[in-house]
Amino acid sequence: MAPVFTSHQGEPPKSCLPSYFLSHPRPTCPATPSAAPGAGRLLPKQVLSGPPWMLFTLRGIGWGKCAIWPRRVSSVSCIHDASPSERSPMPSRHSSLARFWWTAALLTGALGCVDDAPSQPLEPRRAELAESNLVSNPSFETGTAGWASWQGTLLRETSTAAPGGSYVARVTRSTGTLYSLDDSPDTVPSAVAGTRYEASASVAAGSSSAVGKPLVIVLRERNASGAIVSVWESEPVSLKTTFQTLSVQATVQQTGDTLDVYLLQDNAVAGDAFLADAVNLQKVSTEPVLLWSDEFDGPAGSLPNPAVWNLETGGMWDHGRTLQQYTARPENCQLDGNGHLRIIARRERYTGEDGVTRDYTSARIQTQGLMERRYGYVEVRLKAPTGKGTWPAAWMMGSTGEWPANGEFDLFEGEGDAPTQAHGTLHAPGLAYGWDSNGGLVDMAPANVGDAWHTFGMFWDSTRVEWYVDRVKRMTYTKGSGGTWVFDQPNYVLLNLALGDIGGDPSGTTFPQVLEVDYVRWYAAPPTSP
């Protein structure tokens, strides 16, 4: 699948959603993103618990950013001429009561925030349901299967004005000031991190009392335990007697989460009803700014591409502190035939060409002199070993000069003694930035880093360096904030699996231990704009 990438600039105001969006008991529902100019609001943290009146009061405060990133590309590729899209800031809506509850929520930790961008309501037109639509019953032509209502009743009726066919859904308020039309079960039961979705629907007032009332389309991401990960909401439309189209876009934050979509009317009173039709949910693709990649496609058991990768050998790395002998054998470094590189550490007594004998073997590969670039965003998708004594790493160094004068970017370092932790670090003369401070540590407890695939990336230009985990920025270092800046030369990529030293003692560990790498990609821009 071709990679996708967009970035949005600006700092639109935050919006905090009613607790309905976050924790109401309701049937399952899918995720739906909005189209760009109406990119939706993103709530990037586990969000919110709290009384509906508090969270609803807080609507309309904050900022945020969104991005879309790929899972794989089909082959090594170089793609140009795609520029990131921009999103302009929108004016925030504040009230004294909102500011009061915003402060209270920050103090209690009860609030998460979402980013805003305007949706553009369209005037009535015949809706075209995309062939890639994931919604199984988008126009209610076969009844109301796959749909339910929260705090409302759901019926189907014929309509000559139906945008998507001959029928529409009629949702009538039963109780409360909020009521909804929900997909059930969730349209996307297992999403992939970085995938962008777009959802849209056609809506109209179903009663005179609902005319002028606000209605939004929402999508929500939840993890396997049902906890909220992210929520996106479109700008509201004011219901009319004629159909309008509204939409929202979103980018999945965590692989394996579910996405649900729903329509929600606010300020509801007895007698309110709305009509809905032509509900679309589909993946969104945009051109990437991908400069280079290795997807590790090749026959099982073969070494990585020799036009790109050098295999280093020897048994005295790190001044003899580590325990492995690096080899150039496929027994220690090979493709698996399914688009992955495997760096394999083994317990075996081995004497290398340097005459050094060690009790373990492994591999270290790098692109020096073969593939080097200056500036951009380098991302590695990998699954780390978790055995005690392992020290896996994905990193970069400047192409000329001796360490640390050449500079070093550690995209990922793991340590067998602390298998739940991932580190990012910068090294230069007078500088060791990150590791376990300044945002350079991510602890995934209770999970181990190696329990799932994760992406680790580093962006740098002439003024700053940023570290990302699963496409979320974790650390920023700016030029002039300490040490000597040495990061203006081309860099090359290194991948290795060491044993011992900070990884701990591997003597009680079961071997082989494997560092798996899905891809290495070099982009022109980071996952979120500065």
Side-chain angles (χ1 to χ4, degrees):
M1 179 184 75
V4 296
F5 170 79
T6 64
S7 67
H8 296 289
Q9 295 181 339
E11 294 191 349
K14 289 178 190 163
S15 179
C16 294
L17 304 176
S19 63
Y20 165 85
F21 294 164
L22 309 169
S23 59
H24 78 285
R26 53 179 292 279
T28 47
C29 299
T32 48
S34 75
R41 304 169 182 168
L42 167 64
L43 185 113
K45 307 274 182 190
Q46 275 118 335
V47 225
L48 310 170
S49 56
W53 49 267
M54 182 184 81
L55 296 177
F56 182 68
T57 301
L58 293 165
R59 194 171 184 176
I61 305 173
W63 60 270
K65 298 176 184 177
C66 305
I68 301 174
W69 280 80
R71 153 68 176 83
R72 294 190 55 79
V73 294
S74 56
S75 60
V76 174
S77 56
C78 184
I79 305 176
H80 305 278
D81 303 326
S83 60
S85 60
E86 293 191 358
R87 191 171 48 178
S88 300
M90 291 293 294
S92 59
R93 304 178 298 275
H94 298 277
S95 68
S96 58
L97 183 59
R99 286 191 293 269
F100 171 79
W101 284 114
W102 170 249
T103 304
L106 285 177
L107 292 174
T108 60
L111 179 66
C113 293
V114 293
D115 88 34
D116 252 348
S119 289
Q120 306 293 326
L122 304 178
E123 290 306 311
R125 60 180 174 79
R126 191 68 177 175
E128 295 183 3
L129 295 173
E131 292 183 4
S132 57
N133 191 5
L134 301 174
V135 178
S136 60
N137 183 21
S139 292
F140 309 96
E141 298 301 298
T142 59
T144 58
W147 297 96
S149 178
W150 174 77
Q151 298 198 163
T153 59
L154 172 61
L155 297 172
R156 183 183 73 143
E157 63 183 46
T158 58
S159 172
T160 57
S166 302
Y167 295 88
V168 297
R170 170 177 287 274
V171 187
T172 304
R173 178 257 189 198
S174 296
T175 185
T177 59
L178 295 165
Y179 68 109
S180 70
L181 173 67
D182 308 345
D183 67 324
S184 178
D186 293 353
T187 299
V188 182
S190 182
V192 175
T195 305
R196 171 167 278 190
Y197 289 88
E198 178 180 351
S200 61
S202 296
V203 296
S207 66
S208 59
S209 64
V211 173
K213 298 290 182 68
L215 186 143
V216 294
I217 188 169
V218 179
L219 68 89
R220 177 176 63 176
E221 177 179 347
R222 291 179 291 182
N223 62 24
S225 64
I228 302 297
V229 174
S230 304
V231 176
W232 297 261
E233 173 199 5
S234 70
E235 281 295 307
V237 297
S238 294
L239 287 170
K240 302 178 181 180
T241 55
T242 55
F243 278 93
Q244 306 172 81
T245 300
L246 73 169
S247 62
V248 66
Q249 274 188 4
T251 303
V252 176
Q253 304 297 294
Q254 297 179 172
T255 295
D257 288 351
T258 64
L259 289 171
D260 64 291
V261 60
Y262 44 96
L263 299 167
L264 184 75
Q265 187 205 313
D266 195 4
N267 297 342
V269 297
D272 277 8
F274 68 85
L275 307 178
D277 195 22
V279 184
N280 269 295
L281 175 61
Q282 57 188 325
K283 294 180 181 179
V284 177
S285 295
T286 57
E287 286 299 314
V289 186
L290 179 63
L291 305 175
W292 173 88
S293 77
D294 193 343
E295 305 299 315
F296 299 112
D297 294 322
S302 61
L303 293 171
N305 185 354
V308 176
W309 297 100
N310 301 301
L311 280 81
E312 298 188 291
T313 61
M316 288 299 294
W317 295 95
D318 306 298
H319 305 287
R321 292 181 301 151
T322 54
L323 306 176
Q324 75 289 330
Q325 170 73 243
Y326 286 133
T327 83
R329 307 177 303 165
E331 289 91 337
N332 295 111
C333 184
Q334 61 178 252
L335 305 182
D336 70 355
N338 294 309
H340 305 117
L341 170 72
R342 304 178 80 239
I343 295 180
I344 306 166
R346 300 180 182 277
R347 179 183 285 122
E348 57 177 336
R349 193 159 181 81
Y350 185 89
T351 301
E353 294 179 2
D354 59 358
V356 176
T357 300
R358 292 285 187 169
D359 292 327
Y360 302 90
T361 60
S362 188
R364 168 172 159 149
I365 65 174
Q366 42 93 340
T367 67
Q368 187 175 23
L370 300 176
M371 197 291 298
E372 300 174 348
R373 303 188 71 93
R374 186 177 74 155
Y375 303 150
Y377 175 74
V378 181
E379 181 178 79
V380 179
R381 185 172 187 262
L382 58 82
K383 184 182 288 187
T386 58
K388 185 176 176 62
T390 59
W391 182 10
W395 47 306
M396 297 187 294
M397 286 205 296
S399 58
T400 60
E402 296 295 324
W403 189 92
N406 60 340
E408 176 181 334
F409 300 133
D410 295 323
L411 285 68
F412 164 75
E413 283 186 275
E415 47 182 327
D417 265 347
T420 67
Q421 298 181 0
H423 302 272
T425 315
L426 314 180
H427 295 282
L431 179 68
Y433 191 90
W435 182 256
D436 59 0
S437 62
N438 302 306
L441 169 65
V442 172
D443 195 326
M444 301 183 182
N448 290 327
V449 177
D451 288 347
W453 291 94
H454 294 282
T455 60
F456 300 91
M458 198 77 79
F459 169 78
W460 94 105
D461 59 15
S462 61
T463 63
R464 72 193 190 282
V465 183
E466 299 172 344
W467 182 56
Y468 292 77
V469 178
D470 290 328
R471 305 185 182 97
V472 175
K473 183 163 61 176
R474 301 289 186 168
M475 178 177 72
T476 300
Y477 167 80
T478 55
K479 185 176 182 178
S481 59
T484 303
W485 179 271
V486 294
F487 304 120
D488 290 325
Q489 64 167 315
N491 271 236
Y492 61 94
V493 178
L494 302 96
L495 303 170
N496 71 283
L497 174 52
L499 297 166
D501 199 14
I502 68 170
D505 180 6
S507 60
T509 298
T510 300
F511 282 83
Q513 291 286 312
V514 181
L515 169 62
E516 295 183 86
V517 183
D518 187 18
Y519 60 71
V520 179
R521 294 178 182 163
W522 203 305
Y523 293 93
T528 55
S529 296

